[in-house]
Amino acid sequence: WDMFVLAFIERAFQQSYRKDDFVIGKKLGEGAFGVVYKASLANKGSPKQGDLVLKKATEYGAVEIWMNERVRRACANSCADFVYGFLERSSKTKGGEYWLIWRFEGEDTLSDLMLSKEFPYNVEAKILGEGQGLEKGLERENRIVQTIIRQLLFALDGLHSTGIVHRDIKPQNIIFSEGSRTFKIIDLGAAADLRVGINYIPKEFLLDPRYTAPEQYIMSTQTPSAPSAPVATALSPVLWQMNLPDRFDIYSVGLIFLQMVFPSLRTDNGLIQFNRQLKRCNYDLDTWRSTVEPRASPDLRKGFELLDLDGGIGWELVTSMVRFKARQRTSAKAALAHPYFNREGLLGLSFMQ
Ligand code: ADP
Ligand code: MG
């Protein structure tokens, strides 16, 4: 009950907002279930200053508000800073729409940064500030990629330890927070909280096929339909162990890792083609490598070279993420302890590490 009492107290003392408190700015994104805008508070004298992000969502907004409030209490640094969420009733739309407000973390998603010709050096500049002046090359690129993957796994470990599976991990849902100079996860619209049974039945139609693990459903199909909340709380640690739903997100991280290393996988078509090849190899990365490496382009070859540094620990890590069977994939916590991260990341001299 503590959690509910705490949530209630928090709610009672928290500043509350309504529609007229916001000035809506430019559109940042539009999905099937909502529209996202940059926004600010109409009353500049309000205690909370600065740019905000507003999502106007359909019925799934209720779950997204719930997830964001849970994250704010349990693992705040994993995700974009959530400010407030409410139901805006209206006569036009049946049932109204949900409004969700976050702090504006910055302009760039990992997708934006990865599509730039400067990648990964543009990320290095953001994390360290300009003017590091080190020589470009494989070794340096490897450190940058390593730092990004570590930050991503760190955020994900926070969510998973809280009992939340994101289910839509992709570069478009990873934002660079200018304030903390780290990557944070956004868009909990498809997330599932297995400890309390919220959004327990997978809404597979919400998922992005480019990044989904082959099992698609996070729980095995034998799992009975959603039990009521108290039952779910009692059972879910067991279910978690049995089904390892967190490994669904790990597969997506593995794909992002590959995209960072192989420029040809960064475009939609490149990724789709890769997925097709991998499926033909029964989702075995070693098999994929042996089929493409003999005829590899210089770009691909460079990627393999990067992963082969230090006795191939990068390749070892990425193959432990991208596996057909969920139970053979590493967890976020185990991945963070992998020797790939032992070496100094983006300049151990940085205050960030
Ligand atoms: P959708 O359901 O449309 O995918 P998202 O929550 O992913 O909604 O947000 C859409 C886009 O809005 C993101 O890709 C990102 O560019 C931007 N965005 C979302 N949240 C933030 C935030 N807290 N700070 C800055 N930009 C954000
Ligand atoms: Mg999104």
Side-chain angles (χ1 to χ4, degrees), residues 153-179:
L153 285 170
F154 190 79
L156 210 49
D157 180 37
L159 282 184
H160 291 168
S161 302
T162 304
I164 296 174
V165 188
H166 186 281
R167 298 200 294 171
D168 198 14
I169 293 292
K170 55 182 177 182
Q172 293 83 349
N173 285 338
I174 299 163
I175 190 94
F176 187 79
S177 167
E178 300 286 346

PDB file of all heavy atoms in Angstrom, residues 153-179:
ATOM      1  N   LEU A 153      22.034   0.964 -21.689  1.00  0.00           N
ATOM      2  CA  LEU A 153      21.836  -0.210 -20.828  1.00  0.00           C
ATOM      3  C   LEU A 153      21.562   0.214 -19.391  1.00  0.00           C
ATOM      4  O   LEU A 153      20.761  -0.400 -18.689  1.00  0.00           O
ATOM      5  CB  LEU A 153      23.072  -1.111 -20.862  1.00  0.00           C
ATOM      6  CG  LEU A 153      23.260  -1.942 -22.132  1.00  0.00           C
ATOM      7  CD1 LEU A 153      24.639  -2.588 -22.136  1.00  0.00           C
ATOM      8  CD2 LEU A 153      22.176  -3.009 -22.256  1.00  0.00           C
ATOM      9  N   PHE A 154      22.211   1.283 -18.963  1.00  0.00           N
ATOM     10  CA  PHE A 154      22.028   1.790 -17.617  1.00  0.00           C
ATOM     11  C   PHE A 154      20.571   2.248 -17.418  1.00  0.00           C
ATOM     12  O   PHE A 154      19.918   1.912 -16.429  1.00  0.00           O
ATOM     13  CB  PHE A 154      23.000   2.941 -17.379  1.00  0.00           C
ATOM     14  CG  PHE A 154      23.068   3.388 -15.956  1.00  0.00           C
ATOM     15  CD1 PHE A 154      23.808   2.666 -15.028  1.00  0.00           C
ATOM     16  CD2 PHE A 154      22.391   4.524 -15.539  1.00  0.00           C
ATOM     17  CE1 PHE A 154      23.861   3.071 -13.700  1.00  0.00           C
ATOM     18  CE2 PHE A 154      22.441   4.939 -14.217  1.00  0.00           C
ATOM     19  CZ  PHE A 154      23.178   4.206 -13.299  1.00  0.00           C
ATOM     20  N   ALA A 155      20.075   2.994 -18.396  1.00  0.00           N
ATOM     21  CA  ALA A 155      18.683   3.466 -18.333  1.00  0.00           C
ATOM     22  C   ALA A 155      17.720   2.274 -18.359  1.00  0.00           C
ATOM     23  O   ALA A 155      16.746   2.220 -17.609  1.00  0.00           O
ATOM     24  CB  ALA A 155      18.393   4.421 -19.489  1.00  0.00           C
ATOM     25  N   LEU A 156      18.020   1.316 -19.208  1.00  0.00           N
ATOM     26  CA  LEU A 156      17.157   0.150 -19.357  1.00  0.00           C
ATOM     27  C   LEU A 156      17.174  -0.716 -18.105  1.00  0.00           C
ATOM     28  O   LEU A 156      16.140  -1.236 -17.679  1.00  0.00           O
ATOM     29  CB  LEU A 156      17.633  -0.667 -20.565  1.00  0.00           C
ATOM     30  CG  LEU A 156      16.595  -1.464 -21.320  1.00  0.00           C
ATOM     31  CD1 LEU A 156      15.368  -0.629 -21.659  1.00  0.00           C
ATOM     32  CD2 LEU A 156      17.209  -2.036 -22.597  1.00  0.00           C
ATOM     33  N   ASP A 157      18.337  -0.849 -17.493  1.00  0.00           N
ATOM     34  CA  ASP A 157      18.437  -1.620 -16.256  1.00  0.00           C
ATOM     35  C   ASP A 157      17.536  -1.001 -15.187  1.00  0.00           C
ATOM     36  O   ASP A 157      16.885  -1.713 -14.418  1.00  0.00           O
ATOM     37  CB  ASP A 157      19.896  -1.686 -15.791  1.00  0.00           C
ATOM     38  CG  ASP A 157      20.051  -2.489 -14.511  1.00  0.00           C
ATOM     39  OD1 ASP A 157      19.338  -3.502 -14.363  1.00  0.00           O
ATOM     40  OD2 ASP A 157      20.872  -2.105 -13.659  1.00  0.00           O
ATOM     41  N   GLY A 158      17.477   0.334 -15.161  1.00  0.00           N
ATOM     42  CA  GLY A 158      16.589   1.022 -14.221  1.00  0.00           C
ATOM     43  C   GLY A 158      15.138   0.626 -14.455  1.00  0.00           C
ATOM     44  O   GLY A 158      14.421   0.277 -13.506  1.00  0.00           O
ATOM     45  N   LEU A 159      14.713   0.658 -15.711  1.00  0.00           N
ATOM     46  CA  LEU A 159      13.328   0.277 -16.031  1.00  0.00           C
ATOM     47  C   LEU A 159      13.069  -1.186 -15.672  1.00  0.00           C
ATOM     48  O   LEU A 159      12.070  -1.509 -15.021  1.00  0.00           O
ATOM     49  CB  LEU A 159      13.062   0.469 -17.533  1.00  0.00           C
ATOM     50  CG  LEU A 159      12.803   1.867 -18.075  1.00  0.00           C
ATOM     51  CD1 LEU A 159      12.460   1.790 -19.556  1.00  0.00           C
ATOM     52  CD2 LEU A 159      11.665   2.544 -17.331  1.00  0.00           C
ATOM     53  N   HIS A 160      13.966  -2.064 -16.085  1.00  0.00           N
ATOM     54  CA  HIS A 160      13.759  -3.500 -15.858  1.00  0.00           C
ATOM     55  C   HIS A 160      13.750  -3.839 -14.374  1.00  0.00           C
ATOM     56  O   HIS A 160      12.960  -4.662 -13.926  1.00  0.00           O
ATOM     57  CB  HIS A 160      14.829  -4.319 -16.589  1.00  0.00           C
ATOM     58  CG  HIS A 160      14.694  -4.266 -18.088  1.00  0.00           C
ATOM     59  ND1 HIS A 160      15.666  -4.724 -18.950  1.00  0.00           N
ATOM     60  CD2 HIS A 160      13.697  -3.787 -18.871  1.00  0.00           C
ATOM     61  CE1 HIS A 160      15.268  -4.542 -20.200  1.00  0.00           C
ATOM     62  NE2 HIS A 160      14.080  -3.964 -20.179  1.00  0.00           N
ATOM     63  N   SER A 161      14.610  -3.177 -13.604  1.00  0.00           N
ATOM     64  CA  SER A 161      14.638  -3.431 -12.160  1.00  0.00           C
ATOM     65  C   SER A 161      13.352  -2.956 -11.495  1.00  0.00           C
ATOM     66  O   SER A 161      12.998  -3.414 -10.412  1.00  0.00           O
ATOM     67  CB  SER A 161      15.828  -2.725 -11.513  1.00  0.00           C
ATOM     68  OG  SER A 161      17.028  -3.151 -12.106  1.00  0.00           O
ATOM     69  N   THR A 162      12.666  -2.041 -12.155  1.00  0.00           N
ATOM     70  CA  THR A 162      11.390  -1.540 -11.648  1.00  0.00           C
ATOM     71  C   THR A 162      10.238  -2.455 -12.087  1.00  0.00           C
ATOM     72  O   THR A 162       9.111  -2.324 -11.623  1.00  0.00           O
ATOM     73  CB  THR A 162      11.179  -0.102 -12.172  1.00  0.00           C
ATOM     74  OG1 THR A 162      12.294   0.700 -11.790  1.00  0.00           O
ATOM     75  CG2 THR A 162       9.932   0.542 -11.612  1.00  0.00           C
ATOM     76  N   GLY A 163      10.529  -3.356 -12.995  1.00  0.00           N
ATOM     77  CA  GLY A 163       9.492  -4.275 -13.478  1.00  0.00           C
ATOM     78  C   GLY A 163       8.830  -3.820 -14.759  1.00  0.00           C
ATOM     79  O   GLY A 163       7.797  -4.341 -15.161  1.00  0.00           O
ATOM     80  N   ILE A 164       9.445  -2.818 -15.407  1.00  0.00           N
ATOM     81  CA  ILE A 164       8.860  -2.290 -16.642  1.00  0.00           C
ATOM     82  C   ILE A 164       9.637  -2.772 -17.865  1.00  0.00           C
ATOM     83  O   ILE A 164      10.862  -2.700 -17.893  1.00  0.00           O
ATOM     84  CB  ILE A 164       8.840  -0.745 -16.604  1.00  0.00           C
ATOM     85  CG1 ILE A 164       7.934  -0.250 -15.471  1.00  0.00           C
ATOM     86  CG2 ILE A 164       8.374  -0.181 -17.948  1.00  0.00           C
ATOM     87  CD1 ILE A 164       7.958   1.263 -15.272  1.00  0.00           C
ATOM     88  N   VAL A 165       8.914  -3.283 -18.829  1.00  0.00           N
ATOM     89  CA  VAL A 165       9.493  -3.605 -20.133  1.00  0.00           C
ATOM     90  C   VAL A 165       9.023  -2.523 -21.100  1.00  0.00           C
ATOM     91  O   VAL A 165       7.830  -2.211 -21.142  1.00  0.00           O
ATOM     92  CB  VAL A 165       9.012  -4.977 -20.648  1.00  0.00           C
ATOM     93  CG1 VAL A 165       9.779  -5.364 -21.901  1.00  0.00           C
ATOM     94  CG2 VAL A 165       9.180  -6.032 -19.591  1.00  0.00           C
ATOM     95  N   HIS A 166       9.940  -1.933 -21.847  1.00  0.00           N
ATOM     96  CA  HIS A 166       9.586  -0.804 -22.697  1.00  0.00           C
ATOM     97  C   HIS A 166       8.869  -1.246 -23.973  1.00  0.00           C
ATOM     98  O   HIS A 166       7.841  -0.687 -24.347  1.00  0.00           O
ATOM     99  CB  HIS A 166      10.856  -0.015 -23.044  1.00  0.00           C
ATOM    100  CG  HIS A 166      10.612   1.254 -23.788  1.00  0.00           C
ATOM    101  ND1 HIS A 166      10.353   1.277 -25.140  1.00  0.00           N
ATOM    102  CD2 HIS A 166      10.581   2.544 -23.374  1.00  0.00           C
ATOM    103  CE1 HIS A 166      10.178   2.542 -25.522  1.00  0.00           C
ATOM    104  NE2 HIS A 166      10.311   3.325 -24.461  1.00  0.00           N
ATOM    105  N   ARG A 167       9.409  -2.228 -24.646  1.00  0.00           N
ATOM    106  CA  ARG A 167       8.847  -2.866 -25.848  1.00  0.00           C
ATOM    107  C   ARG A 167       8.922  -2.035 -27.121  1.00  0.00           C
ATOM    108  O   ARG A 167       8.483  -2.462 -28.174  1.00  0.00           O
ATOM    109  CB  ARG A 167       7.384  -3.282 -25.611  1.00  0.00           C
ATOM    110  CG  ARG A 167       7.251  -4.300 -24.491  1.00  0.00           C
ATOM    111  CD  ARG A 167       5.955  -5.029 -24.581  1.00  0.00           C
ATOM    112  NE  ARG A 167       4.828  -4.150 -24.355  1.00  0.00           N
ATOM    113  CZ  ARG A 167       3.577  -4.509 -24.552  1.00  0.00           C
ATOM    114  NH1 ARG A 167       3.289  -5.711 -24.996  1.00  0.00           N
ATOM    115  NH2 ARG A 167       2.598  -3.677 -24.299  1.00  0.00           N
ATOM    116  N   ASP A 168       9.424  -0.806 -27.039  1.00  0.00           N
ATOM    117  CA  ASP A 168       9.541  -0.006 -28.265  1.00  0.00           C
ATOM    118  C   ASP A 168      10.884   0.736 -28.255  1.00  0.00           C
ATOM    119  O   ASP A 168      10.954   1.920 -28.582  1.00  0.00           O
ATOM    120  CB  ASP A 168       8.367   0.962 -28.363  1.00  0.00           C
ATOM    121  CG  ASP A 168       8.158   1.505 -29.773  1.00  0.00           C
ATOM    122  OD1 ASP A 168       8.743   0.950 -30.732  1.00  0.00           O
ATOM    123  OD2 ASP A 168       7.410   2.497 -29.918  1.00  0.00           O
ATOM    124  N   ILE A 169      11.931   0.016 -27.857  1.00  0.00           N
ATOM    125  CA  ILE A 169      13.276   0.605 -27.838  1.00  0.00           C
ATOM    126  C   ILE A 169      13.778   0.747 -29.266  1.00  0.00           C
ATOM    127  O   ILE A 169      13.854  -0.232 -30.017  1.00  0.00           O
ATOM    128  CB  ILE A 169      14.245  -0.283 -27.008  1.00  0.00           C
ATOM    129  CG1 ILE A 169      13.862  -0.288 -25.526  1.00  0.00           C
ATOM    130  CG2 ILE A 169      15.704   0.187 -27.184  1.00  0.00           C
ATOM    131  CD1 ILE A 169      14.059   1.045 -24.804  1.00  0.00           C
ATOM    132  N   LYS A 170      14.058   1.974 -29.669  1.00  0.00           N
ATOM    133  CA  LYS A 170      14.601   2.279 -31.001  1.00  0.00           C
ATOM    134  C   LYS A 170      15.204   3.675 -30.938  1.00  0.00           C
ATOM    135  O   LYS A 170      14.907   4.443 -30.009  1.00  0.00           O
ATOM    136  CB  LYS A 170      13.501   2.199 -32.063  1.00  0.00           C
ATOM    137  CG  LYS A 170      12.294   3.072 -31.793  1.00  0.00           C
ATOM    138  CD  LYS A 170      11.248   2.889 -32.880  1.00  0.00           C
ATOM    139  CE  LYS A 170      10.000   3.689 -32.595  1.00  0.00           C
ATOM    140  NZ  LYS A 170       8.956   3.485 -33.615  1.00  0.00           N
ATOM    141  N   PRO A 171      16.077   4.014 -31.890  1.00  0.00           N
ATOM    142  CA  PRO A 171      16.783   5.303 -31.799  1.00  0.00           C
ATOM    143  C   PRO A 171      15.843   6.507 -31.726  1.00  0.00           C
ATOM    144  O   PRO A 171      16.179   7.509 -31.094  1.00  0.00           O
ATOM    145  CB  PRO A 171      17.620   5.335 -33.084  1.00  0.00           C
ATOM    146  CG  PRO A 171      17.826   3.895 -33.432  1.00  0.00           C
ATOM    147  CD  PRO A 171      16.564   3.194 -33.018  1.00  0.00           C
ATOM    148  N   GLN A 172      14.652   6.395 -32.315  1.00  0.00           N
ATOM    149  CA  GLN A 172      13.684   7.496 -32.279  1.00  0.00           C
ATOM    150  C   GLN A 172      13.129   7.713 -30.869  1.00  0.00           C
ATOM    151  O   GLN A 172      12.576   8.770 -30.579  1.00  0.00           O
ATOM    152  CB  GLN A 172      12.505   7.210 -33.225  1.00  0.00           C
ATOM    153  CG  GLN A 172      12.847   7.197 -34.695  1.00  0.00           C
ATOM    154  CD  GLN A 172      13.414   5.852 -35.175  1.00  0.00           C
ATOM    155  OE1 GLN A 172      13.753   4.968 -34.393  1.00  0.00           O
ATOM    156  NE2 GLN A 172      13.541   5.707 -36.478  1.00  0.00           N
ATOM    157  N   ASN A 173      13.240   6.696 -30.017  1.00  0.00           N
ATOM    158  CA  ASN A 173      12.720   6.801 -28.652  1.00  0.00           C
ATOM    159  C   ASN A 173      13.829   6.949 -27.617  1.00  0.00           C
ATOM    160  O   ASN A 173      13.663   6.619 -26.448  1.00  0.00           O
ATOM    161  CB  ASN A 173      11.838   5.586 -28.325  1.00  0.00           C
ATOM    162  CG  ASN A 173      10.488   5.677 -29.020  1.00  0.00           C
ATOM    163  OD1 ASN A 173      10.045   6.762 -29.400  1.00  0.00           O
ATOM    164  ND2 ASN A 173       9.841   4.542 -29.201  1.00  0.00           N
ATOM    165  N   ILE A 174      14.980   7.435 -28.077  1.00  0.00           N
ATOM    166  CA  ILE A 174      16.094   7.719 -27.169  1.00  0.00           C
ATOM    167  C   ILE A 174      16.503   9.168 -27.399  1.00  0.00           C
ATOM    168  O   ILE A 174      16.872   9.544 -28.507  1.00  0.00           O
ATOM    169  CB  ILE A 174      17.270   6.757 -27.449  1.00  0.00           C
ATOM    170  CG1 ILE A 174      16.800   5.308 -27.205  1.00  0.00           C
ATOM    171  CG2 ILE A 174      18.470   7.088 -26.566  1.00  0.00           C
ATOM    172  CD1 ILE A 174      17.702   4.286 -27.832  1.00  0.00           C
ATOM    173  N   ILE A 175      16.380   9.992 -26.355  1.00  0.00           N
ATOM    174  CA  ILE A 175      16.636  11.429 -26.507  1.00  0.00           C
ATOM    175  C   ILE A 175      17.936  11.793 -25.798  1.00  0.00           C
ATOM    176  O   ILE A 175      18.247  11.228 -24.747  1.00  0.00           O
ATOM    177  CB  ILE A 175      15.443  12.258 -25.956  1.00  0.00           C
ATOM    178  CG1 ILE A 175      15.548  13.737 -26.317  1.00  0.00           C
ATOM    179  CG2 ILE A 175      15.298  12.113 -24.440  1.00  0.00           C
ATOM    180  CD1 ILE A 175      14.825  14.113 -27.559  1.00  0.00           C
ATOM    181  N   PHE A 176      18.686  12.713 -26.404  1.00  0.00           N
ATOM    182  CA  PHE A 176      19.875  13.195 -25.707  1.00  0.00           C
ATOM    183  C   PHE A 176      19.469  14.340 -24.802  1.00  0.00           C
ATOM    184  O   PHE A 176      18.944  15.359 -25.253  1.00  0.00           O
ATOM    185  CB  PHE A 176      20.959  13.646 -26.687  1.00  0.00           C
ATOM    186  CG  PHE A 176      22.242  13.975 -25.970  1.00  0.00           C
ATOM    187  CD1 PHE A 176      23.092  12.962 -25.557  1.00  0.00           C
ATOM    188  CD2 PHE A 176      22.580  15.289 -25.668  1.00  0.00           C
ATOM    189  CE1 PHE A 176      24.265  13.245 -24.863  1.00  0.00           C
ATOM    190  CE2 PHE A 176      23.745  15.583 -24.977  1.00  0.00           C
ATOM    191  CZ  PHE A 176      24.598  14.550 -24.575  1.00  0.00           C
ATOM    192  N   SER A 177      19.701  14.161 -23.511  1.00  0.00           N
ATOM    193  CA  SER A 177      19.359  15.183 -22.530  1.00  0.00           C
ATOM    194  C   SER A 177      20.534  16.149 -22.409  1.00  0.00           C
ATOM    195  O   SER A 177      21.604  15.784 -21.938  1.00  0.00           O
ATOM    196  CB  SER A 177      19.080  14.520 -21.178  1.00  0.00           C
ATOM    197  OG  SER A 177      19.043  15.516 -20.164  1.00  0.00           O
ATOM    198  N   GLU A 178      20.310  17.390 -22.857  1.00  0.00           N
ATOM    199  CA  GLU A 178      21.390  18.385 -22.839  1.00  0.00           C
ATOM    200  C   GLU A 178      21.779  18.718 -21.403  1.00  0.00           C
ATOM    201  O   GLU A 178      22.933  19.029 -21.119  1.00  0.00           O
ATOM    202  CB  GLU A 178      20.962  19.660 -23.578  1.00  0.00           C
ATOM    203  CG  GLU A 178      20.584  19.459 -25.051  1.00  0.00           C
ATOM    204  CD  GLU A 178      21.782  19.217 -25.971  1.00  0.00           C
ATOM    205  OE1 GLU A 178      22.920  19.467 -25.529  1.00  0.00           O
ATOM    206  OE2 GLU A 178      21.565  18.748 -27.104  1.00  0.00           O
ATOM    207  N   GLY A 179      20.802  18.631 -20.500  1.00  0.00           N
ATOM    208  CA  GLY A 179      21.065  18.962 -19.101  1.00  0.00           C
ATOM    209  C   GLY A 179      22.030  17.993 -18.442  1.00  0.00           C
ATOM    210  O   GLY A 179      22.988  18.395 -17.781  1.00  0.00           O
TER     211      GLY A 179
END
